[in-house]
Structure formats: structure tokens, C-alpha cells
């Protein structure tokens, strides 16, 4: 691996390890190194969130995954993290631990037809590297494809790895999702996909809360969100909690000049409303 500058919570360069699929980040939410797996090296996603930090984002799906290459990269990089000098030379002191393996990257990872095979591959590599159970495997997803049988099979396998799903829910109305995520997904479909996720694997909601055109999310946005999670709970579908976060790095979408971070007090106030409904909230400003 070539010598490059040290990683930080603001440097999430997905080419930092000179690999196709595997990249490390220092996660502000996790407090350690997250081993990222990018199944969308073509920068294609079926949504277009206006805060997205992916350059040259296009509409589409993941290309075919070269499973032997992914296996080689993941095996080699885990070995480097555990036995090489990457942690010492590239990671800030205090964050020199593997926190998780995260399927995220430059698009929707569940759009890869090989998704279930990828989860099985990760399980093998975890076993080879003797990673402890405390190193989680995390799927970061917009949840839009969780109705697919192969994706659900992947979630069943993920659950066996002490895995988690981080299910994107930035707004809980169709108008809000169109405005923030540039998708026409119905709330009924979000509801059904989220129920499927919760049934198959421990699932957190991940919610990006920020100002648009200088305006914080409206009271209606808050009520829509609280009403949605309240309905889930009344139906008996309880997620692990909510990962509530603000803007840490600049968007690379056309809307970037219109976005700004909220004061942490605003995040804390909304978090208290969510907690009052009965869910745990973790805040990353």
C-alpha cells in the first residue's frame, strides 16, 4: 500500500487503501476503524440524497462483484490491520482498533446481485482472521431493496455475525423523502421493508438532520417522523434505536450550497422527542 496521509473522521477517502472494494475510515460514530466494503465502485445508486458525499453520483445499481478479488482484498487488508503497521502509521492514536466491517460505499450495497454471497464471504474472512464477535458487521442501506429474497437471505446471515442493519430514514413523509433523498418511494414500502429488516436482523434507524436553505426541519417533519416510529412501536416492531447525525463533511451534490449543519442543541432537542417515544438515540453532531 502506498504511503498516504493519515486518516481522520473528515477524510473518508475510499481509495485510501489502493483497493477496488475495501477501504478504511475512522468512524466518528464508532470511535475506531471501520473496514468499509464498497460494492458500488461505479458510483451508482438508486437514490440521490442531497447530502451525499459521493463524487459523480449516478442513478443505477452495483456492477457485478468480483468475489475472488473482494476475498483477496478483505483477507489482505484485515491481515494488514491486525499484523501490519497501518494502524500505527495511518490511524490517529485512540482510534487504533477495528470497530466493524461496514457494507456502505458509493451506492446502495443491496443492489448487488451477489449481496448474499458477499455476506457469506465476510463470514469466512472473519473466521480466518479470528475477529472477535465485538467487531460487528454492519449494513448501511436505504432499505429500498429489502423485499428481495436474496437480500433477506443476506440479512439472515448477517444476523449470525452479530450484525446490524442501519436503515436510512431521513424524513418520514413521501414529500420529505423526495426533497431529501430524491426518491418517490412510498411510506408504505418503507414501512414494509423496515418491518422485514427488524424481523431478520437487529436494525437501527439512521437519520441525517440538517438545515436546508437556512431552515431547520419543520415541525411537520418532526411530527411525521415521530408518528411513523410511534406506529411501528404500536404494531410491535421495535428497532434498536436511532442514529441521529448532522452534516460532518460537505455534500458533493448540486444542492450543497443550500445545506448547513444544525446547532447540536437542535439535534439534542429532537433526540429527546424520539426518546420520549421509547427508542434509544445516539447523536453524532
Amino acid at each position: 500500500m502506498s504511503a498516504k496521509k493519515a486518516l481522520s473522521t473528515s477524510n473518508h477517502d475510499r481509495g485510501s487503501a489502493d483497493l477496488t472494494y475495501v477501504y478504511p475510515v475512522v468512524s466518528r460514530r464508532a470511535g475506531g476503524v471501520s473496514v468499509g466494503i464498497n460494492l458500488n465502485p461505479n458510483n451508482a445508486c438508486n437514490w440521490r440524497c442531497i447530502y451525499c458525499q459521493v463524487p459523480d453520483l449516478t442513478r443505477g445499481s452495483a456492477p457485478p462483484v468480483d468475489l475472488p478479488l473482494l476475498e483477496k482484498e478483505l483477507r489482505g487488508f484485515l491481515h494488514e490491520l491486525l499484523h501490519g503497521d497501518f494502524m500505527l502509521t495511518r490511524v490517529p492514536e485512540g482510534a487504533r482498533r477495528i470497530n466493524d466491517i461496514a457494507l456502505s460505499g458509493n451506492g446502495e450495497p443491496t443492489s448487488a446481485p451477489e449481496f448474499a454471497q458477499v455476506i457469506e464471504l465476510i463470514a469466512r474472512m472473519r473466521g480466518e482472521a479470528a475477529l472477535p464477535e465485538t467487531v460487528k458487521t454492519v449494513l448501511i442501506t436505504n432499505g429500498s431493496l429489502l423485499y428481495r429474497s436474496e437480500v433477506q437471505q443476506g440479512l439472515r446471515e448477517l444476523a449470525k455475525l452479530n450484525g446490524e442493519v442501519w436503515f436510512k430514514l431521513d424524513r418520514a413523509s413521501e414529500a420529505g423523502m423526495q426533497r431529501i433523498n430524491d426518491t418517490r418511494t412510498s411510506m408504505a414500502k418503507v414501512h414494509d421493508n423496515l418491518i422485514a429488516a427488524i424481523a431478520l436482523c437487529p436494525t437501527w434507524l439512521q437519520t441525517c438532520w440538517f438545515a436546508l436553505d437556512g431552515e431547520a426541519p419543520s415541525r411537520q417533519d418532526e411530527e411525521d417522523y415521530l408518528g411513523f416510529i410511534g406506529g411501528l412501536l404500536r404494531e410491535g416492531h421495535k428497532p434498536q434505536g436511532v442514529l441521529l447525525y448532522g452534516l460532518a463533511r460537505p455534500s458533493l451534490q448540486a444542492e450543497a450550497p443550500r445545506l448547513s449543519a444544525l446547532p447540536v442543541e437542535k439535534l439534542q432537542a429532537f433526540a429527546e422527542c424520539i426518546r420520549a417515544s421509547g427508542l434509544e438515540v445516539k447523536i453524532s453532531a
Side-chain angles (χ1 to χ4, degrees):
M1 296 177 189
S2 61
K4 293 188 179 181
K5 65 182 179 181
L7 294 170
S8 69
T9 57
S10 60
N11 173 23
H12 285 203
D13 176 12
R14 296 198 170 118
S16 62
D18 296 325
L19 302 173
T20 298
Y21 294 113
V22 178
Y23 65 97
V25 297
V26 178
S27 172
R28 64 194 172 111
R29 280 176 279 178
V33 174
S34 178
V35 179
I37 296 180
N38 178 21
L39 301 183
N40 302 72
N42 59 348
N43 294 5
C45 189
N46 61 341
W47 287 16
R48 193 193 66 84
C49 302
I50 62 175
Y51 57 81
C52 183
Q53 296 119 17
V54 173
D56 304 315
L57 183 67
T58 60
R59 294 277 189 177
S61 300
V65 178
D66 184 336
L67 291 169
L69 178 60
L70 172 58
E71 180 171 334
K72 177 183 177 182
E73 289 188 355
L74 185 55
R75 176 186 288 116
F77 192 67
L78 287 174
H79 185 272
E80 172 67 20
L81 285 178
L82 293 167
H83 306 293
D85 65 359
F86 191 95
M87 287 285 197
L88 184 64
T89 60
R90 299 283 300 283
V91 178
E93 190 174 355
R96 291 172 183 163
R97 68 182 186 92
I98 303 176
N99 185 78
D100 58 51
I101 297 173
L103 285 142
S104 177
N106 289 10
E108 175 49 45
T110 63
S111 67
E114 303 86 355
F115 176 74
Q117 294 168 268
V118 169
I119 301 298
E120 293 170 0
L121 184 156
I122 292 170
R124 291 200 309 275
M125 294 304 97
R126 287 181 60 104
E128 277 192 18
L131 291 182
E133 191 176 81
T134 53
V135 176
K136 290 187 174 293
T137 303
V138 179
L139 168 65
I140 302 175
T141 176
N142 64 28
S144 61
L145 304 176
L146 296 193
Y147 63 90
R148 292 180 174 178
S149 59
E150 65 272 19
V151 176
Q152 294 190 5
Q153 179 56 34
L155 264 58
R156 292 186 187 94
E157 296 303 315
L158 183 64
K160 297 176 185 177
L161 303 178
N162 189 32
E164 292 180 350
V165 175
W166 293 5
F167 188 111
K168 185 189 299 293
L169 183 70
D170 295 323
R171 300 295 182 271
S173 69
E174 290 168 14
M177 291 183 67
Q178 186 173 350
R179 184 171 66 251
I180 302 301
N181 308 118
D182 198 6
T183 177
R184 295 184 181 276
T185 301
S186 72
M187 288 310 301
K189 190 167 186 179
V190 173
H191 173 272
D192 292 348
N193 287 341
L194 181 53
I195 287 174
I198 292 169
L200 294 168
C201 188
T203 298
W204 289 80
L205 300 177
Q206 59 158 357
T207 299
C208 192
W209 213 242
F210 57 91
L212 179 62
D213 297 324
E215 297 290 333
S218 68
R219 182 60 191 159
Q220 187 63 56
D221 288 326
E222 294 182 354
E223 290 177 357
D224 289 338
Y225 192 99
L226 296 170
F228 180 79
I229 62 174
L232 283 173
L233 294 173
R234 286 192 297 274
E235 295 166 1
H237 309 294
K238 186 174 183 179
Q240 301 297 301
V242 176
L243 305 171
L244 182 65
Y245 63 106
L247 296 177
R249 303 183 305 282
S251 167
L252 293 180
Q253 307 312 307
E255 294 86 352
R258 301 173 56 200
L259 313 184
S260 57
L262 293 171
V264 68
E265 295 79 12
K266 286 277 190 181
L267 292 177
Q268 290 170 340
F270 186 45
E272 285 306 313
C273 294
I274 298 171
R275 291 187 182 109
S277 74
L279 288 182
E280 179 184 355
V281 183
K282 298 180 182 180
I283 299 177
S284 297

